[in-house]
Each structure stands twice: as C-alpha cells, then as structure tokens.
Amino acid sequence: KETRNPTELFQIWLNLPKRSKMVDPYFTMFWSEDIPVVRIDDAEITLYTGNLGNHKTLSPPPHSWASQANSDIAVWSIKLKANGRFTLPKSNILSNRCLYFFSGETLEIENRQISVRNRITLHSLSHVDIQNGSLPAEILLLQGNPIGEPTAKYGPFVMNTQQEIRQAIYDYQRTGFGGWPWDRKDPVHNANSGRFALHADGTKEERK
C-alpha cells in the first residue's frame, strides 16, 4: 500500500583523533526504546549522546571522540510544545555549540526572533533561554569540544595530512575497506524478519 513516509534523517559524522584513525571498525546499535528521553517543563529531549543532569546516555563506541571525557559531545533532539519554554543548560567546557531549528515557525532566543530552517550558534558556557512560537518545534542540538588537530579531507575521507588522504583513497580502491557482503547493490531483507542488527563478529541482535 502506498502511504506517506514521514521519515526525516540526519547523518552526523564525528571526526577521530589521529591516534584512533586506524583502529578496527566498531558498530553499536542504539535501539530506539533504549535511548533516554527526558521531559522538562515544555520540552522533550532525546539524548543520543551527551548527558543531561543525572540522565545518562548510552555508551558510544570505545574509540569515538564522544567516548572521551573532555570531548563534551552532545547530540540531542529537542521537541518544544507550542508557546513552550526550555532553558538549555550551560556546559563546563568552552565547546562549539549550535542549534538547527528544522521544524516549527519561530523561536525567541536571547531576545532574537529566529525563523525555521536556520542554524543558531551559541556560547556553551551560558544558559540559553528558548521561547517557542505558536507551532510545535523540533530542534537538533550539536555540541563538541574540537579535537585540535589539523585536518585534510576529500569526499568522505578525513585524515590529518594530504598524504594520508591519498593513502586512504588508494586503500579504498584496492580493498573496498572489507568489500560488500551481499550479492546485489540494493539488498532487501525479509519483511517478516523483524528488527535486527548484524555485527562484524557475526553476532545478531534481534528486537520485536
């Protein structure tokens, strides 16, 4: 049956420090029912990574920059009721912090009117009062302490030097980074198989 597909996807890439560039790949499945959701006043905050008060998030992959105590990484989805308010708490570290206001009408932040489909850069060492407009709003919070290393990038590759970029491209062309395990480019799993995650070591997680 043809129906409307309301899925909205954000693909967020975190860089790795130089010491972790060549670690073995690691996969972690965050099941939706395990991800913490915090309700404060007029806001519903989904914590993908980055703790909020006493609310702890799931553990990120062990070599991720998000796993480092001083990374201050936070990725939150914030839903605000119409005409609702929320105070974004300050961080203890001077980090890059921004909000992407992607659904709603208007927000008022520090006495400034912000229209939907805008990114707002904030100071991480200050509390920020957010007043929503007349429609329910959804906001994506992205925050992190910079790694502080030089970067070189080309397409999806991010390394520290141009020589490393050339080597990464060569390695990909030579090996495919492990190859493609399926016999077609658009594999479709059995619709009756339910939800599952297949890990590199062959372990299969299943949920109803």
Side-chain angles (χ1 to χ4, degrees):
K1 183 179 179 180
E2 293 293 329
T3 58
R4 179 174 175 269
N5 183 355
T7 299
E8 188 154 17
L9 174 70
F10 291 98
Q11 188 178 48
I12 301 167
W13 292 54
L14 291 181
N15 194 14
L16 287 169
K18 183 178 177 64
R19 65 178 182 274
S20 303
K21 291 288 190 187
M22 304 306 291
V23 299
D24 291 336
Y26 191 93
F27 167 76
T28 300
M29 173 62 78
F30 283 10
W31 300 100
S32 59
E33 60 268 30
D34 296 337
I35 298 172
V37 178
V38 182
R39 291 171 177 82
I40 301 176
D41 297 329
D42 300 318
E44 178 184 286
I45 307 102
T46 303
L47 308 178
Y48 298 103
T49 190
N51 300 329
L52 174 57
N54 294 324
H55 301 279
K56 305 299 183 181
T57 58
L58 301 174
S59 298
H63 294 288
S64 168
W65 182 235
S67 69
Q68 306 303 305
N70 66 335
S71 69
D72 201 31
I73 295 292
V75 179
W76 301 350
S77 170
I78 304 170
K79 293 183 179 180
L80 270 173
K81 297 178 181 178
N83 302 307
R85 300 185 71 94
F86 174 63
T87 298
L88 183 64
K90 66 179 181 179
S91 171
N92 295 321
I93 298 175
L94 182 58
S95 297
N96 294 333
R97 172 187 272 188
C98 69
L99 300 177
Y100 176 42
F101 176 29
F102 66 92
S103 179
E105 184 179 37
T106 59
L107 296 176
E108 183 178 307
I109 300 177
E110 304 299 318
N111 298 316
R112 292 186 60 184
Q113 291 290 323
I114 310 294
S115 58
V116 71
R117 297 289 176 182
N118 273 291
R119 181 173 65 89
I120 306 102
T121 301
L122 303 172
H123 198 289
S124 65
L125 294 180
S126 300
H127 295 287
V128 178
D129 292 323
I130 304 172
Q131 170 67 56
N132 190 25
S134 59
L135 294 178
E138 293 188 61
I139 308 164
L140 181 67
L141 165 73
L142 299 176
Q143 175 181 293
N145 186 18
I147 293 174
E149 296 177 351
T151 60
K153 56 187 178 180
Y154 183 86
F157 302 107
V158 180
M159 301 297 287
N160 295 96
T161 67
Q162 289 298 324
Q163 176 58 40
E164 290 171 348
I165 284 289
R166 288 191 287 271
Q167 183 64 48
I169 294 172
Y170 171 74
D171 290 342
Y172 174 72
Q173 291 173 338
R174 182 173 56 86
T175 68
F177 290 164
W180 184 253
W182 293 280
D183 57 3
R184 52 186 290 184
K185 294 183 178 180
D186 56 345
V188 177
H189 300 291
N190 189 322
N192 298 318
S193 62
R195 296 187 297 160
F196 70 91
L198 187 62
H199 294 261
D201 63 0
T203 302
K204 186 176 183 179
E205 289 185 74
E206 295 184 273
R207 295 286 179 98
K208 293 182 179 180

